[in-house]
Amino acid sequence: MVVLWKNMNIIPINEIRKAVLSKQWVPVAAIVLLATALRLYQLGTESLWTDEFHSLRATENFKFGFRVLYFALLRGWMLLSTDDAWLRGLSVVFGIGSVFLVYQLSYRLIGKSVGFIAAFTVAVSPLFIFHSQEVRMYMLSTFLTLFGTLAMVNVLERPTVLSLGWWVIARILAIYTTPLNLLLLLPDILLIFWKYRNRTRVLSGVAIGLFAVGLLFLPVAALFVSKSQQFLSRANKWPSFAEVVGQLPAATVYWPMKQLPESQFWFYGLCGLVLVFLLGFLIFNKKRSARLTWLTAWALIPTAILLGVSCVLGDIWTPRYLLLSTPYLIILFAAGFLQVWRWQKGVALVVLSVYAVALGGGLLHYYGEQNITDWRGLVQTIRADEATGDVIAVPSDFARDLVFDHYYAGSTPIYVVEPLKSFREVEPSVIEQGLNQFPNASRLWLVYERSTDDRGQEHQQRLQSVIDEQFSMADHSVFSGYSDTIDLFLLIPHSPARNAS
């Protein structure tokens, strides 16, 4: 046995190896623990939001579809509890796992230092924290795409039947989680066909794997195409330069960018330009490796396709859809920062200072502000003051069948009043007729979702005129989030007898 001598004691070399390995994993463990703490902190503080409610509906009405994997897992997860924090815990698991996989991928392709930086960036990113605290499929999708990319690294380095098998399994599972993950197959195919263009046996194995992916995707392909056509029917426009660059700070230091104060726009714009600088410094540096080319392909090819689709067909230039390529961009940022550090430490410290200030502001906003519309608080407000003879009026089946089914345990009748939809063009008489269909109600709890466009403002004015004429307002509460604002009115009819007539 090979040994070393120290103070006349024999130290086995395998113990030294274990000690070195244990020290290597200390920073990784610290980053994973940090990621865990940030994802568990305030996990159930805020209400579920619209998309999370839709996840619950899809899970309760479970059927085979192109996002089947997450809903199948969530269905089993819900057997233990339907508490908000527990429901979000499924994404927490995959969010933490994604941090570890980012380290593994960075370490394999570039090095340990880049792995630490990239894993830390993902661990503290408000965007990744949000999707790790969300009852949606995005962190499962990220975990599976990273796992599939690690399998592809094995194929590129040492192709075997096992590595090809893991790649096929991971990619098809990722596609069944979020169909946009199909886009990662393009850089996979380009890289492997370029590297093994003269090795027919390897290419034949890859072709069989791709055939298996296509065959397994066929059962939901038609459904995916039809849903995509509906989704892309929205009016499209070319994203501006600011919108393109803005996705970089949105992914790393601040979420949601919609709530960014105007006074801070210039600073977070600067942060985005700094990230562009890091990316350019890395890509155009003469010291490029094949592995860096692999990362660049996984980062930029899907991103370019999403940008092209947004410009031509419909707007999908948004952080949650860009998550399939964001981890690779972050690894490139980390590698670029390390190269800048080796080139000029003063410049690197400026970059680090901008990042630290921007991240601090992003985390303070994320944990210190109300990000999600407080549907739970709205329902609790009703529960705290409801009485016999009350009626609850909501604008849509969404509020009645999802929000109130999840949060409400009272017995007050709930009705959908179609004229309350703020995007509809209706006259005050139609709104009045909708609100006067409860002649025996002593009080009316009215839930109203505001719309910010001109039509919504006109609707709001017409509703207010009806309320002023027909009711006395006993209470009015407002519940705001980053995407919508909800008004809760407690109204008392002026003359129930006249309304009945």
Side-chain angles (χ1 to χ4, degrees):
M1 180 181 295
V2 181
V3 296
L4 295 177
W5 291 85
K6 183 179 180 181
N7 297 329
M8 303 302 291
N9 293 323
I10 299 176
I11 306 175
I13 199 69
N14 60 338
E15 290 187 12
I16 295 176
R17 187 181 297 113
K18 289 180 181 178
V20 171
L21 288 174
S22 65
K23 289 181 180 179
Q24 173 187 334
W25 287 106
V26 167
V28 181
I31 293 170
V32 171
L33 286 174
L34 175 63
T36 303
L38 290 174
R39 283 150 181 75
L40 292 178
Y41 181 57
Q42 296 186 2
L43 181 60
T45 300
E46 296 198 27
S47 163
L48 301 185
W49 74 292
T50 305
D51 283 9
E52 292 179 290
F53 285 118
H54 286 308
S55 291
L56 297 185
R57 169 176 279 179
T59 303
E60 291 166 356
N61 303 325
F62 182 77
K63 59 182 179 181
F64 187 76
F66 60 83
R67 286 177 171 174
V68 64
L69 182 60
Y70 175 77
F71 298 132
L73 292 175
L74 183 60
R75 189 177 179 88
W77 190 263
M78 288 173 64
L79 293 175
L80 297 178
S81 175
T82 56
D83 178 75
D84 288 356
W86 176 258
L87 291 172
R88 289 168 171 161
L90 181 61
S91 292
V92 169
V93 173
F94 292 109
I96 296 168
S98 297
V99 173
F100 180 74
L101 290 182
V102 164
Y103 169 77
Q104 285 282 65
L105 185 62
S106 308
Y107 179 46
R108 285 282 301 276
L109 294 179
I110 302 181
K112 182 170 60 176
S113 298
V114 171
F116 293 150
I117 297 170
F120 175 83
T121 303
V122 173
V124 300
S125 164
L127 176 70
F128 281 88
I129 295 170
F130 169 72
H131 286 300
S132 297
Q133 294 187 327
E134 183 186 35
V135 190
R136 293 296 280 171
M137 70 291 297
Y138 298 111
M139 277 301 101
L140 172 61
S141 171
T142 301
F143 179 86
L144 290 171
T145 55
L146 287 168
F147 187 86
T149 302
L150 272 169
M152 175 49 64
V153 170
N154 289 331
V155 173
L156 291 169
E157 291 180 341
R158 186 180 177 185
T160 64
V161 173
L162 183 61
S163 59
L164 276 169
W166 279 118
W167 170 66
V168 169
I169 292 171
R171 286 295 189 240
I172 194 63
L173 289 177
I175 291 167
Y176 267 82
T177 304
T178 304
L180 279 177
N181 291 328
L182 277 166
L183 298 180
L184 284 169
L185 288 176
L186 182 56
D188 287 348
I189 293 169
L190 291 175
L191 291 173
I192 200 164
F193 275 82
W194 175 256
K195 180 165 185 179
Y196 296 112
R197 57 191 180 278
N198 298 321
R199 295 178 60 178
T200 306
R201 186 175 178 182
V202 175
L203 295 181
S204 299
V206 174
I208 293 172
L210 289 171
F211 177 77
V213 172
L215 193 64
L216 291 169
F217 181 64
L218 278 178
V220 296
L223 179 61
F224 172 54
V225 171
S226 64
K227 292 290 186 181
S228 298
Q229 290 174 343
Q230 296 173 18
F231 179 78
L232 293 175
S233 64
R234 292 187 285 175
N236 56 286
K237 63 183 182 68
W238 286 76
S240 65
F241 177 76
E243 288 173 322
V244 172
V245 175
Q247 298 303 329
L248 303 179
T252 52
V253 293
Y254 195 102
W255 183 94
M257 295 300 285
K258 287 182 179 180
Q259 287 189 333
L260 181 66
E262 292 185 8
S263 61
Q264 298 177 20
F265 180 81
W266 69 271
F267 180 75
Y268 284 91
L270 173 63
C271 183
L273 293 175
V274 166
L275 293 173
V276 171
F277 162 71
L278 292 179
L279 193 61
F281 190 87
L282 177 70
I283 293 176
F284 295 105
N285 194 295
K286 294 181 180 180
K287 297 179 180 179
R288 292 192 300 270
S289 65
R291 288 176 173 82
L292 185 60
T293 303
W294 301 350
L295 268 174
T296 304
W298 286 314
L300 298 188
I301 291 176
T303 301
I305 294 173
L306 290 174
L307 180 58
V309 170
S310 296
C311 294
V312 177
L313 297 176
D315 185 14
I316 54 174
W317 188 252
T318 186
R320 66 179 180 273
Y321 296 131
L322 288 166
L323 275 174
L324 80 163
S325 57
T326 298
Y328 313 107
L329 282 169
I330 289 176
I331 296 172
L332 291 175
F333 294 149
F337 175 77
L338 197 62
Q339 284 203 5
V340 171
W341 178 267
R342 291 168 178 166
W343 165 64
Q344 187 63 255
K345 287 184 172 56
V347 176
L349 288 174
V350 172
V351 171
L352 186 61
S353 298
V354 172
Y355 169 76
V357 174
L359 176 64
L363 290 174
L364 284 173
H365 170 83
Y366 182 78
Y367 289 112
E369 302 290 336
Q370 181 76 36
N371 293 303
I372 297 175
T373 304
D374 191 10
W375 284 104
R376 183 172 57 203
L378 181 147
V379 173
Q380 289 172 347
T381 299
I382 295 175
R383 288 286 290 147
D385 195 30
E386 64 184 343
T388 303
D390 286 1
V391 168
I392 301 172
V394 296
S396 64
D397 288 327
F398 164 78
R400 180 185 63 189
D401 298 342
L402 293 177
V403 174
F404 279 85
D405 275 0
H406 183 65
Y407 286 127
Y408 186 64
S411 57
T412 300
I414 304 169
Y415 298 93
V416 175
V417 180
E418 289 292 330
L420 286 179
K421 293 181 177 178
S422 60
F423 59 84
R424 295 185 59 184
E425 290 186 0
V426 294
E427 295 301 318
S429 58
V430 178
I431 299 175
E432 181 180 342
Q433 184 180 0
L435 296 183
N436 287 339
Q437 61 181 295
F438 316 110
N440 298 319
S442 58
R443 300 191 308 174
L444 178 64
W445 294 94
L446 191 154
V447 178
Y448 181 73
E449 298 182 60
R450 295 188 200 176
S451 179
T452 56
D453 59 14
D454 293 339
R455 183 185 300 175
Q457 292 176 0
E458 291 177 4
H459 188 283
Q460 188 175 342
Q461 292 172 359
R462 291 169 181 173
L463 172 66
Q464 190 63 53
S465 68
V466 173
I467 291 175
D468 293 340
E469 181 179 348
Q470 299 292 325
F471 300 89
S472 297
M473 189 181 302
D475 194 17
H476 177 207
S477 302
V478 179
F479 303 87
S480 297
Y482 78 94
S483 61
D484 49 24
T485 299
I486 312 297
D487 291 277
L488 175 63
F489 301 96
L490 177 56
L491 307 176
I492 301 174
H494 287 328
S495 176
R498 181 168 65 83
N499 292 340
S501 64

